[in-house]
Amino acid sequence: AQKVTQAQTEISVVEKEDVTLDCVYETRDTTYYLFWYKQPPSGELVFLIRRNSFDEQNEISGRYSWNFQKSTSSFNFTITASQVVDSAVYFCALSETYTGANSKLTFGKGITLSVRP
Amino acid sequence: DTGVSQDPRHKITKRGQNVTFRCDPISEHNRLYWYRQTLGQGPEFLTYFQNEAQLEKSRLLSDRFSAERPKGSFSTLEIQRTEQGDSAMYLCASSLLGQTTEAFFGQGTRLTVV
């Protein structure tokens, strides 16, 4: 069975601090996709990134960066120079790929990030 | 295209009543998913459709729950004889089979059973 663990439940930082959100996953599949979604107070899940299990290259997008390490089954997310608008709940998720990248997602419990001015 | 749309956004109902939610996916998206999210938890998969066919149902989907997607476009999720434990956010998502694209989520329907 697939499982996603986000051990951190709440993180509070002061604006401009860097923050890393941890994600550890379990799967018996050899191919899979990992995702990060952001859920602001409005409730809608906003897609941030998708990573294929064969691609361990780290990715940077503006202030966001992701570190995928297959050896430790981790897919961590770092926000550099955090801003108040980054305050939200962040979910890590895992999908099967036997039917492609669009399969059902298994989510972690989420991390509530609060960025104080 | 305005994205995935869900209606209503909020629903308060008395225990024992039936409720129905609607989801309009992004047009041309052939896959549609329903998830349930309770307070402090991540979304949990309920069921999904490929076109009008319901291909998988979670064990979370008791016999009081039924979902349909009659013409392969919008979908409805009905809960019969609601219980307080059904109080949650019900999220709908859609995607396009065969493309390496993510699932797009709606804003959800928040159900409160009193």
Side-chain angles (χ1 to χ4, degrees):
Chain A
Q2 297 186 323
K3 185 178 178 182
V4 175
T5 301
Q6 296 181 263
Q8 304 152 310
T9 53
E10 294 184 22
I11 299 176
S12 181
V13 299
V14 176
E15 208 169 17
K16 297 184 183 177
E17 283 186 20
D18 298 346
V19 58
T20 295
L21 311 181
D22 298 334
C23 173
V24 174
Y25 62 92
E26 295 175 31
T27 179
R28 287 180 291 185
D29 293 336
T30 54
T31 59
Y32 48 88
Y33 281 84
L34 294 162
F35 300 78
W36 276 94
Y37 280 86
K38 174 182 180 179
Q39 188 174 44
S42 60
E44 182 176 354
L45 282 163
V46 178
F47 167 81
L48 295 177
I49 190 171
R50 175 188 65 252
R51 174 64 68 211
N52 183 303
S53 57
F54 291 116
D55 182 3
E56 290 193 66
Q57 196 168 18
N58 293 329
E59 183 159 341
I60 298 174
S61 175
R63 297 184 297 107
Y64 296 169
S65 62
W66 291 270
N67 182 286
F68 175 32
Q69 293 197 344
K70 218 169 175 178
S71 60
T72 56
S73 297
S74 66
F75 186 43
N76 297 336
F77 172 30
T78 297
I79 302 174
T80 302
S82 59
Q83 299 176 1
V84 173
V85 293
D86 295 328
S87 297
V89 182
Y90 290 85
F91 291 98
C92 181
L94 173 68
S95 78
E96 308 162 337
T97 56
Y98 66 89
T99 53
N102 303 309
S103 301
K104 63 182 179 182
L105 296 168
T106 299
F107 286 86
K109 290 189 177 183
I111 302 169
T112 300
L113 174 64
S114 299
V115 181
R116 308 187 306 276
Chain B
D1 191 352
T2 56
V4 178
S5 176
Q6 293 189 246
D7 183 70
R9 293 290 311 282
H10 303 274
K11 179 71 177 179
I12 300 175
T13 190
K14 291 184 178 179
R15 191 174 48 187
Q17 297 293 305
N18 299 344
V19 293
T20 300
F21 310 140
R22 176 179 171 125
C23 171
D24 286 274
I26 293 172
S27 56
E28 90 263 6
H29 276 193
N30 45 17
R31 280 202 169 179
L32 186 148
Y33 306 79
W34 285 99
Y35 290 83
R36 181 174 70 186
Q37 184 179 16
T38 53
L39 201 61
Q41 302 295 316
E44 295 175 293
F45 170 78
L46 292 178
T47 187
Y48 88 90
F49 294 83
Q50 185 168 305
N51 299 312
E52 65 274 11
Q54 189 173 17
L55 295 187
E56 187 173 348
K57 292 193 288 187
S58 161
R59 286 172 292 178
L60 293 175
L61 214 64
S62 77
D63 55 7
R64 295 185 298 104
F65 287 69
S66 62
E68 294 183 344
R69 194 182 183 197
K71 296 182 180 178
S73 57
F74 73 92
S75 174
T76 58
L77 178 67
E78 181 184 16
I79 308 174
Q80 296 182 326
R81 305 181 303 281
T82 52
E83 302 173 355
Q84 285 190 322
D86 297 331
S87 295
M89 174 79 88
Y90 290 84
L91 293 163
C92 177
S94 70
S95 68
L96 194 58
L97 175 65
Q99 303 298 316
T100 55
T101 58
E102 69 280 9
F104 292 86
F105 282 81
Q107 290 186 299
T109 294
R110 183 169 294 284
L111 173 66
T112 303
V113 181
V114 299

